[in-house]
Amino acid sequence: MNLFALLDQAAARFGDRGAVYCGERRVVTWAGLRERALRLAGSLQGAPGTRIAVASENRPEIVELMFGIWAAEFVYVPINYKLHPREMADIVVDSGAAQVFASPKIAARLDLDVPVETVGGESYEQWFRTEPAAAPDTDPAALAWLFYTSGTTGRSKGAMLSHRNLMAMTVAHLADFDAPDQDCSLVHGAPMSHGSGLYIPPYVLRGARQVIPESGAFDPGEFLDLCEHHPGCSAFLAPTMVQRLVATGRDRPRHLRTVVYGGGPMYVDSLKKAMTAFGPIFTQLYGQGEAPMTITGLRRADHLCADDAILGSVGYARSGVDVAVVREDGTPAAIGEIGEIVCCGDVVMSGYWNNPAATAATLRGGWLHTGDMGSFDDRGYLTLRDRSKDVVISGGSNIYPREVEEVLIEHPGVTEACVVGAPDEEWGEVVVAFIVGTADPAELDAHLLTRIARFKRPKRYEFLDELPKNSYGKVLKRALREQLAQ
């Protein structure tokens, strides 16, 4: 099944109902969305390649681009709009994208060797003036989405997600977390290029309207206002976004029914404050781009308990997914023993695009090796303990230390650099850079802004005479974390 079938079914059942909204304004009906997706597919089928990149802040057009690309039996390659233009260009080159659709704000920043269409306006509308393509009939194993995650080597890796992978994710969401219908809404507060965008398929399947804030981003007041206006609102939000909602001091909007949080740590105290403010509307997911949004989850009923160990866990295995914790030799860890979290199921990617070495290292013995460390308790709840890949998750975004370190080392005033994450009440974690050298923080900030995205910059710098190392010369990041804790 091609994922376009979800839109096909929604258009047949709810044709004249609103499908996509910008703020409170209806943009298109389900029948109109289907028509535009098929017309876009008709235009795309003459393109020289099958990967199509989309780089934009949240906009209504993303929904028609997504389903139009799938209707053409092409591959959707969304790009995080917060990335540096150089990082965006790397993804376009690596994916071999034949065409890029970009918002006006992003298009002005791109310098690429492939065509860039600015979304909105007369030129963009030309893509919808061809004859509509026939509805596709695609092998479920065919590639549907290249999900780019930052790599620990500093290079992005494209997780290859098939139509089957995303259908498994869709079914698991409807089985585990939410049961929307045509009188419900999905409000896109988080970026549609990754977290929130992955939830488009299940809500399209049920005919729930897609609501995009006019700001194109997350503004707590705007988000809460939309949940007062639109019926049956659900949303995926990073923990820092939930905390910003609580900080408004406003009551729960009358139509806010479900918040799925994930993408970073949520402290138990912060979670309790959120539940006091908005009630029992929360569910939590643990997943990766390699198993999109779907490894384990803490359901709404779990949040009603008074057990901090449960509230601090990431819940049970999701529907259709097997999850285990293993030792270094691959044998199962005992209850309470910390090991690497692995999973398998139809939701797991087929591998990394053009990266067989990384694929072989991550997919072993039929299991996805997450690189995350955790343990099960005797009730079956999984708790994350550490991340062997050293990823820093700040405000729901993954930041890999090595890519920041490599840019820092390029500065002539830096002899050595080591980046770690430090716990933070608002952001979950923040980036801290330990520096050996003579550069000052202002110089380093200016240098980083020419090379990487703003959100990856360290929140603070610590200057040392030397970095702690073991006998093999490897930097002891644990010692640096302990220093921060003290």
Side-chain angles (χ1 to χ4, degrees):
M1 172 186 282
N2 184 302
L3 289 162
F4 176 81
L6 306 183
L7 174 56
D8 215 18
Q9 293 175 19
R13 297 175 64 193
F14 315 114
D16 61 349
R17 295 176 66 100
V20 180
Y21 289 74
C22 183
E24 297 181 7
R25 174 179 60 88
R26 190 177 81 175
V27 175
V28 69
T29 65
W30 288 108
L33 179 61
R34 178 186 184 275
E35 175 78 5
R36 284 180 67 82
L38 288 174
R39 287 186 180 277
L40 176 61
S43 294
L44 287 175
Q45 285 173 343
T50 61
R51 276 86 63 201
I52 307 295
V54 177
S56 175
E57 60 274 23
N58 290 0
R59 292 178 63 102
E61 293 91 345
I62 289 176
V63 184
E64 66 190 16
L65 287 167
M66 174 186 286
F67 282 94
I69 290 166
W70 288 335
E73 301 187 71
F74 282 10
V75 181
Y76 178 55
V77 188
I79 299 175
N80 183 352
Y81 73 92
K82 295 181 180 179
L83 293 176
H84 191 280
R86 180 179 63 85
E87 297 169 307
M88 295 186 191
D90 286 345
I91 290 174
V92 172
V93 171
D94 186 75
S95 67
Q99 174 71 48
V100 178
F101 290 92
S103 67
K105 179 180 177 180
I106 303 302
R109 300 167 57 200
L110 296 176
D111 181 17
L112 302 172
D113 294 329
V114 299
V116 177
E117 179 64 66
T118 301
V119 173
E122 184 61 27
S123 175
Y124 176 71
E125 286 302 316
Q126 293 297 326
W127 289 85
F128 301 91
R129 290 180 179 150
T130 58
E131 287 298 310
D137 181 17
T138 307
D139 181 350
L143 185 58
W145 184 317
L146 273 180
F147 188 103
Y148 273 87
T149 63
S150 295
T152 54
T153 63
R155 289 186 58 83
S156 295
K157 294 181 291 186
M160 296 189 290
L161 304 177
S162 67
H163 291 271
R164 177 180 287 117
N165 294 149
L166 295 173
M167 186 58 72
M169 175 201 72
T170 294
V171 172
H173 178 72
L174 298 175
D176 298 340
F177 284 163
D178 203 8
D181 59 23
Q182 68 273 19
D183 294 317
C184 292
S185 308
L186 176 64
V187 183
H188 291 285
M192 295 169 73
S193 59
H194 40 294
S196 195
L198 284 164
Y199 279 134
I200 292 174
Y203 289 84
V204 166
L205 175 60
R206 292 296 182 87
R209 61 180 66 178
Q210 306 289 317
V211 179
I212 294 88
E214 287 189 80
S215 67
F218 178 70
D219 175 87
E222 181 184 27
F223 177 88
L224 293 171
D225 288 344
L226 289 173
C227 294
E228 287 283 359
H229 177 80
H230 291 282
C233 292
S234 298
F236 167 78
L237 298 175
T240 184
M241 295 176 178
V242 175
Q243 292 172 45
R244 289 176 65 187
L245 292 180
V246 174
T248 66
R250 290 174 54 174
D251 294 333
R252 170 184 164 187
R254 57 179 174 160
H255 296 313
L256 181 57
R257 57 190 292 273
T258 302
V259 170
V260 182
Y261 64 92
M266 173 76 101
Y267 295 109
V268 172
D269 182 63
S270 299
L271 178 57
K272 288 179 177 179
K273 290 177 181 176
M275 290 191 291
T276 298
F278 296 118
I281 63 170
F282 295 96
T283 61
Q284 179 201 171
L285 69 86
Y286 162 56
Q288 296 183 331
E290 294 84 349
M293 314 294 271
T294 318
I295 297 179
T296 64
L298 204 61
R299 303 187 189 196
R300 190 186 303 252
D302 295 313
H303 286 78
L304 298 177
C305 74
D307 189 335
D308 285 0
I310 291 177
L311 293 177
S313 77
V314 290
Y316 288 104
R318 297 285 302 281
S319 295
V321 184
D322 287 330
V323 181
V325 173
V326 299
R327 304 184 181 104
E328 286 189 20
D329 62 4
T331 58
I335 297 299
E337 181 182 359
I338 297 173
E340 184 177 14
I341 300 165
V342 299
C343 69
C344 66
D346 280 350
V347 77
V348 173
M349 68 170 186
S350 57
Y352 292 113
W353 177 258
N354 285 337
N355 199 334
T359 299
T362 304
L363 298 178
R364 305 197 303 272
W367 294 80
L368 169 68
H369 288 249
T370 67
D372 291 334
M373 309 300 286
S375 62
F376 279 111
D377 68 12
D378 56 7
R379 298 167 294 185
Y381 287 96
L382 177 68
T383 298
L384 294 179
R385 302 296 181 183
D386 199 359
R387 291 183 297 278
S388 63
K389 296 177 182 177
D390 288 325
V391 63
V392 179
I393 302 179
S394 182
S397 295
N398 285 6
I399 303 168
Y400 285 85
R402 182 167 175 178
E403 63 179 325
V404 182
E405 291 163 359
E406 287 179 345
V407 178
L408 286 169
I409 289 295
E410 292 175 1
H411 192 283
V414 175
T415 304
E416 291 185 287
C418 183
V419 169
V420 300
D424 182 81
E425 185 67 22
E426 180 181 6
W427 296 100
E429 290 181 303
V430 295
V431 175
V432 178
F434 286 87
I435 302 293
V436 177
T438 59
D440 63 41
E443 290 175 341
L444 295 176
D445 278 347
H447 172 68
L448 287 165
L449 281 176
T450 67
R451 303 290 290 158
I452 61 173
R454 182 177 294 272
F455 73 88
K456 297 179 182 180
R457 288 184 307 158
K459 292 291 190 222
R460 75 176 193 265
Y461 300 87
E462 299 285 346
F463 292 85
L464 302 175
D465 292 331
E466 61 181 4
L467 297 177
K469 300 181 179 72
N470 64 15
S471 58
Y472 296 97
K474 183 177 180 180
V475 175
L476 297 173
K477 290 196 173 187
R478 183 180 295 276
L480 295 176
R481 293 191 187 101
E482 289 173 354
Q483 179 175 325
L484 290 176
Q486 293 169 2

